[in-house]
Amino acid sequence: MADTSDTRTPAQIEADIKRRRAVLAETLDEIGVRVHPKTIVGDAKAKVVSNIDHTLGRAYVGVNRAVSDVRATFTDEDGAPRLERIVPVALVAVGLVGLLALGTRRRRD
């Protein structure tokens, strides 16, 4: 059984209908914008850019931490080089380069 206790005037009912139509039209416009191909592509691009920025940020932090660790290994608290650590590493590097050069030279002969 329908409720017949509505005490609104016809003008109030018409105003309510106009207001609801306006809200419905706004909602439909919003849905239309959301499902528009350009909006979908733009959202997808924004998500990809955000993911790339996040990944690059994490990579930057990791590289920065690694550089800081290497710097701390080869310098003291004052920033002066620690020769007792640098010289052995340099000798190993020179030795490896020499072995690679000899190996390349022997293959050519």
Side-chain angles (χ1 to χ4, degrees):
M1 191 161 158
D3 185 14
T4 57
S5 65
D6 193 357
T7 58
R8 298 181 296 168
T9 65
Q12 290 172 327
I13 292 171
E14 283 183 30
D16 189 37
I17 290 171
K18 285 182 183 179
R19 183 185 57 77
R20 288 183 183 198
R21 280 184 182 158
V23 169
L24 180 59
E26 185 178 321
T27 302
L28 289 174
D29 288 344
E30 192 175 306
I31 290 170
V33 168
R34 286 184 185 178
V35 299
H36 194 278
K38 286 184 180 179
T39 304
I40 294 171
V41 169
D43 290 347
K45 284 181 182 178
K47 188 173 183 178
V48 168
V49 168
S50 174
N51 287 339
I52 289 171
D53 285 346
H54 180 71
T55 302
L56 289 176
R58 288 177 42 205
Y60 174 79
V61 169
V63 168
N64 194 22
R65 185 178 300 130
V67 168
S68 295
D69 290 347
V70 169
R71 184 178 297 136
T73 300
F74 293 108
T75 60
D76 60 16
E77 296 79 26
D78 299 329
R82 291 182 173 175
L83 293 179
E84 71 276 4
R85 292 187 180 176
I86 294 173
V87 170
V89 171
L91 290 174
V92 168
V94 168
L96 286 174
V97 169
L99 287 174
L100 289 173
L102 285 176
T104 304
R105 181 185 246 177
R106 286 184 181 169
R107 286 187 203 149
R108 288 183 186 168
D109 291 340

